[in-house]
Amino acid sequence: MMGPAHSLSGAAAWLLVGAVTYSLDRPMPWPVLLVGALICAGAALAPDLDHKSATISRAFGPFSKWLCVVIERLSCAVYKATRKSGDPSRAGGHRTLTHTWLWAVAVGAGFSALAVLGGRWAVLGILFVHLVLAVEGLLWRAARVSSDVLVWLLGATSAWILAGVLDRPGNGADWLFTGAGQEYLWLGLPIVLGSLVHNVGDSITVSGCPILWPIPVGSRRWYPLGPPKPVRFKAGSWVELKILMPGFMLTGALSGLWALGFAG
């Protein structure tokens, strides 16, 4: 799928989680619902770090372009080193390492550890990165015609404000993990979810997605998981634009209302 659809699916997924937790009498504080949805929307772009033309490659100027090149080469090397006899040879690394469950979990765990060990500035950095990505994905038309600096300023300002809101008692810094020193440990969860939702979205397109790696499937370690090929679609096709994106928006809106107690 394309960047806007990935971001919408990520936001909708976190809002759906919020609706589920509300139904289980463990409601999210509204700042957690909001911040988590924005982080998940941004994280849903991150697996495309292995593609130099992806939305994320433009998000942070030359640095993100350079990082995409590095990640693509790393992904290609891992693919070549771990492929089995049934995996085809390939020259690039797109839709390999960063499109797996293991990568999603590792990145989410890394960000959770950074949030706990790095303190306020680490939390601000995590929020800034993912809010910039959320703007690039959810407001992509405006972001395309705006200066990168304006998008970064919006991300930085929003990160500062939202971190201040979360820090207030009862607003969610210690949501789910309430032990001493575990504030913001939950920040890795929307990052994991966003990455996994991205992979599921890619799996229903023509090429499929090797979500299960490194678990082998028959003679393939990089098995492109997906539904039967007749029901798959091309990224950016009318299925994505006319059916999936409106569906994500509707699901997110209804889930958000439920999570806040307005639809129960």
Side-chain angles (χ1 to χ4, degrees):
M1 293 196 300
M2 306 300 286
H6 279 310
S7 283
L8 275 175
S9 67
W14 185 259
L15 293 170
L16 183 59
V17 170
V20 171
T21 61
Y22 180 85
S23 298
L24 297 175
D25 293 326
R26 296 292 299 273
M28 293 180 184
W30 72 263
V32 173
L33 187 70
L34 173 61
V35 172
L38 292 172
I39 291 176
C40 203
L45 295 180
D48 278 343
L49 267 172
D50 61 3
H51 196 306
K52 63 181 180 181
S53 298
T55 301
I56 192 172
S57 72
R58 301 184 295 270
F60 300 99
F63 173 75
S64 54
K65 289 184 180 294
W66 169 82
L67 185 59
C68 283
V69 172
V70 172
I71 296 297
E72 190 276 334
R73 291 178 179 174
L74 171 64
S75 299
C76 186
V78 172
Y79 179 88
K80 291 180 178 179
T82 62
R83 72 185 184 97
K84 297 184 68 177
S85 59
D87 294 309
S89 59
R90 56 185 299 168
H94 181 47
R95 286 204 187 182
T96 55
L97 179 61
T98 61
H99 287 68
T100 66
W101 70 270
L102 187 59
W103 177 274
V105 171
V107 170
F111 275 113
S112 282
L114 180 62
V116 171
L117 299 176
R120 178 173 175 79
W121 287 106
V123 171
L124 285 170
I126 293 169
L127 291 178
F128 168 72
V129 167
H130 289 90
L131 289 175
V132 167
L133 291 177
V135 171
E136 291 283 354
L138 298 174
L139 304 176
W140 66 277
R141 291 186 185 276
R144 286 283 179 89
V145 299
S146 300
S147 164
D148 286 342
V149 175
L150 290 178
V151 175
W152 299 340
L153 286 174
L154 177 59
T157 303
S158 300
W160 188 271
I161 293 172
L162 291 173
V165 172
L166 285 168
D167 278 340
R168 296 171 188 166
N171 274 6
D174 60 349
W175 176 71
L176 199 60
F177 302 97
T178 58
Q182 294 181 353
E183 293 81 9
Y184 293 109
L185 185 61
W186 64 268
L187 282 183
L189 297 178
I191 294 173
V192 174
L193 181 61
S195 294
L196 292 177
V197 168
H198 177 112
N199 296 342
V200 171
D202 278 353
S203 73
I204 60 177
T205 61
V206 173
S207 300
C209 189
I211 302 173
L212 297 179
W213 182 89
I215 301 171
V217 178
S219 63
R220 304 188 67 170
R221 194 179 300 278
W222 296 91
Y223 182 80
L225 199 67
K229 290 189 177 181
V231 300
R232 299 186 192 186
F233 59 90
K234 291 183 179 180
S237 70
W238 67 270
V239 175
E240 180 177 332
L241 300 176
K242 302 296 185 181
I243 298 179
L244 292 183
M245 290 180 67
F248 295 148
M249 287 188 280
L250 180 61
T251 299
L254 294 177
S255 297
L257 290 173
W258 189 280
L260 293 172
F262 292 118

